[in-house]
PDB file of all heavy atoms in Angstrom:
ATOM      1  N   ILE X   2      49.439  53.338 134.705  1.00  0.00           N
ATOM      2  CA  ILE X   2      48.936  54.651 134.361  1.00  0.00           C
ATOM      3  C   ILE X   2      48.160  54.665 133.099  1.00  0.00           C
ATOM      4  O   ILE X   2      47.110  55.320 132.937  1.00  0.00           O
ATOM      5  CB  ILE X   2      50.098  55.655 134.303  1.00  0.00           C
ATOM      6  CG1 ILE X   2      50.710  55.852 135.708  1.00  0.00           C
ATOM      7  CG2 ILE X   2      49.692  56.949 133.657  1.00  0.00           C
ATOM      8  CD1 ILE X   2      51.834  56.785 135.720  1.00  0.00           C
ATOM      9  N   LEU X   3      48.540  53.812 132.170  1.00  0.00           N
ATOM     10  CA  LEU X   3      47.810  53.738 130.867  1.00  0.00           C
ATOM     11  C   LEU X   3      46.381  53.225 131.115  1.00  0.00           C
ATOM     12  O   LEU X   3      45.496  53.659 130.432  1.00  0.00           O
ATOM     13  CB  LEU X   3      48.560  52.821 129.942  1.00  0.00           C
ATOM     14  CG  LEU X   3      47.922  52.642 128.532  1.00  0.00           C
ATOM     15  CD1 LEU X   3      47.849  53.982 127.810  1.00  0.00           C
ATOM     16  CD2 LEU X   3      48.660  51.624 127.679  1.00  0.00           C
ATOM     17  N   VAL X   4      46.233  52.337 132.064  1.00  0.00           N
ATOM     18  CA  VAL X   4      44.885  51.831 132.388  1.00  0.00           C
ATOM     19  C   VAL X   4      44.016  52.956 132.902  1.00  0.00           C
ATOM     20  O   VAL X   4      42.850  53.113 132.479  1.00  0.00           O
ATOM     21  CB  VAL X   4      44.920  50.686 133.417  1.00  0.00           C
ATOM     22  CG1 VAL X   4      43.564  50.258 133.857  1.00  0.00           C
ATOM     23  CG2 VAL X   4      45.684  49.465 132.798  1.00  0.00           C
ATOM     24  N   TRP X   5      44.526  53.796 133.775  1.00  0.00           N
ATOM     25  CA  TRP X   5      43.747  54.912 134.307  1.00  0.00           C
ATOM     26  C   TRP X   5      43.481  55.979 133.235  1.00  0.00           C
ATOM     27  O   TRP X   5      42.414  56.585 133.208  1.00  0.00           O
ATOM     28  CB  TRP X   5      44.440  55.557 135.477  1.00  0.00           C
ATOM     29  CG  TRP X   5      44.406  54.644 136.706  1.00  0.00           C
ATOM     30  CD1 TRP X   5      45.442  54.024 137.252  1.00  0.00           C
ATOM     31  CD2 TRP X   5      43.254  54.317 137.451  1.00  0.00           C
ATOM     32  NE1 TRP X   5      45.036  53.267 138.302  1.00  0.00           N
ATOM     33  CE2 TRP X   5      43.676  53.437 138.465  1.00  0.00           C
ATOM     34  CE3 TRP X   5      41.925  54.611 137.349  1.00  0.00           C
ATOM     35  CZ2 TRP X   5      42.816  52.866 139.377  1.00  0.00           C
ATOM     36  CZ3 TRP X   5      41.060  54.006 138.253  1.00  0.00           C
ATOM     37  CH2 TRP X   5      41.466  53.209 139.301  1.00  0.00           C
ATOM     38  N   GLU X   6      44.445  56.135 132.326  1.00  0.00           N
ATOM     39  CA  GLU X   6      44.227  57.119 131.269  1.00  0.00           C
ATOM     40  C   GLU X   6      43.159  56.565 130.315  1.00  0.00           C
ATOM     41  O   GLU X   6      42.295  57.341 129.799  1.00  0.00           O
ATOM     42  CB  GLU X   6      45.507  57.367 130.491  1.00  0.00           C
ATOM     43  CG  GLU X   6      46.471  58.212 131.197  1.00  0.00           C
ATOM     44  CD  GLU X   6      47.830  58.359 130.420  1.00  0.00           C
ATOM     45  OE1 GLU X   6      47.912  57.815 129.339  1.00  0.00           O
ATOM     46  OE2 GLU X   6      48.654  59.100 130.936  1.00  0.00           O
ATOM     47  N   ALA X   7      43.163  55.228 130.073  1.00  0.00           N
ATOM     48  CA  ALA X   7      42.162  54.638 129.165  1.00  0.00           C
ATOM     49  C   ALA X   7      40.789  54.780 129.804  1.00  0.00           C
ATOM     50  O   ALA X   7      39.814  55.114 129.127  1.00  0.00           O
ATOM     51  CB  ALA X   7      42.507  53.218 128.886  1.00  0.00           C
ATOM     52  N   LEU X   8      40.651  54.437 131.119  1.00  0.00           N
ATOM     53  CA  LEU X   8      39.366  54.595 131.802  1.00  0.00           C
ATOM     54  C   LEU X   8      38.914  55.987 131.837  1.00  0.00           C
ATOM     55  O   LEU X   8      37.709  56.254 131.562  1.00  0.00           O
ATOM     56  CB  LEU X   8      39.494  53.975 133.211  1.00  0.00           C
ATOM     57  CG  LEU X   8      39.502  52.497 133.293  1.00  0.00           C
ATOM     58  CD1 LEU X   8      39.750  52.058 134.752  1.00  0.00           C
ATOM     59  CD2 LEU X   8      38.197  51.870 132.801  1.00  0.00           C
ATOM     60  N   GLY X   9      39.801  56.918 132.107  1.00  0.00           N
ATOM     61  CA  GLY X   9      39.423  58.328 132.163  1.00  0.00           C
ATOM     62  C   GLY X   9      38.948  58.859 130.768  1.00  0.00           C
ATOM     63  O   GLY X   9      37.991  59.577 130.668  1.00  0.00           O
ATOM     64  N   SER X  10      39.655  58.485 129.818  1.00  0.00           N
ATOM     65  CA  SER X  10      39.297  58.947 128.419  1.00  0.00           C
ATOM     66  C   SER X  10      37.988  58.305 128.000  1.00  0.00           C
ATOM     67  O   SER X  10      37.183  58.923 127.352  1.00  0.00           O
ATOM     68  CB  SER X  10      40.366  58.611 127.424  1.00  0.00           C
ATOM     69  OG  SER X  10      40.566  57.249 127.272  1.00  0.00           O
ATOM     70  N   ALA X  11      37.779  57.029 128.334  1.00  0.00           N
ATOM     71  CA  ALA X  11      36.471  56.405 127.986  1.00  0.00           C
ATOM     72  C   ALA X  11      35.298  57.104 128.696  1.00  0.00           C
ATOM     73  O   ALA X  11      34.213  57.307 128.125  1.00  0.00           O
ATOM     74  CB  ALA X  11      36.491  54.911 128.325  1.00  0.00           C
ATOM     75  N   LEU X  12      35.533  57.474 129.917  1.00  0.00           N
ATOM     76  CA  LEU X  12      34.507  58.226 130.671  1.00  0.00           C
ATOM     77  C   LEU X  12      34.264  59.583 130.100  1.00  0.00           C
ATOM     78  O   LEU X  12      33.100  60.044 129.950  1.00  0.00           O
ATOM     79  CB  LEU X  12      34.867  58.321 132.123  1.00  0.00           C
ATOM     80  CG  LEU X  12      34.719  57.070 132.965  1.00  0.00           C
ATOM     81  CD1 LEU X  12      35.230  57.264 134.374  1.00  0.00           C
ATOM     82  CD2 LEU X  12      33.266  56.632 133.006  1.00  0.00           C
ATOM     83  N   LEU X  45      39.324  56.648 123.109  1.00  0.00           N
ATOM     84  CA  LEU X  45      40.435  55.719 123.189  1.00  0.00           C
ATOM     85  C   LEU X  45      41.298  55.806 121.967  1.00  0.00           C
ATOM     86  O   LEU X  45      42.569  55.673 122.062  1.00  0.00           O
ATOM     87  CB  LEU X  45      39.838  54.256 123.307  1.00  0.00           C
ATOM     88  CG  LEU X  45      39.215  53.982 124.655  1.00  0.00           C
ATOM     89  CD1 LEU X  45      38.502  52.617 124.622  1.00  0.00           C
ATOM     90  CD2 LEU X  45      40.253  54.002 125.787  1.00  0.00           C
ATOM     91  N   THR X  48      43.515  58.633 122.735  1.00  0.00           N
ATOM     92  CA  THR X  48      44.409  58.498 123.888  1.00  0.00           C
ATOM     93  C   THR X  48      45.628  57.649 123.587  1.00  0.00           C
ATOM     94  O   THR X  48      46.733  58.043 124.006  1.00  0.00           O
ATOM     95  CB  THR X  48      43.597  57.816 125.045  1.00  0.00           C
ATOM     96  OG1 THR X  48      42.585  58.638 125.470  1.00  0.00           O
ATOM     97  CG2 THR X  48      44.510  57.527 126.231  1.00  0.00           C
ATOM     98  N   PHE X  49      45.472  56.553 122.887  1.00  0.00           N
ATOM     99  CA  PHE X  49      46.609  55.653 122.712  1.00  0.00           C
ATOM    100  C   PHE X  49      47.730  56.291 121.874  1.00  0.00           C
ATOM    101  O   PHE X  49      48.885  56.203 122.231  1.00  0.00           O
ATOM    102  CB  PHE X  49      46.135  54.332 122.177  1.00  0.00           C
ATOM    103  CG  PHE X  49      45.366  53.545 123.193  1.00  0.00           C
ATOM    104  CD1 PHE X  49      44.181  52.870 122.826  1.00  0.00           C
ATOM    105  CD2 PHE X  49      45.712  53.470 124.491  1.00  0.00           C
ATOM    106  CE1 PHE X  49      43.413  52.183 123.693  1.00  0.00           C
ATOM    107  CE2 PHE X  49      44.979  52.754 125.429  1.00  0.00           C
ATOM    108  CZ  PHE X  49      43.837  52.098 125.058  1.00  0.00           C
TER     109      PHE X  49
END
Side-chain angles (χ1 to χ4, degrees):
I2 290 178
L3 181 62
V4 173
W5 289 111
E6 287 177 0
L8 285 173
S10 66
L12 286 174
L45 289 172
T48 296
F49 292 135

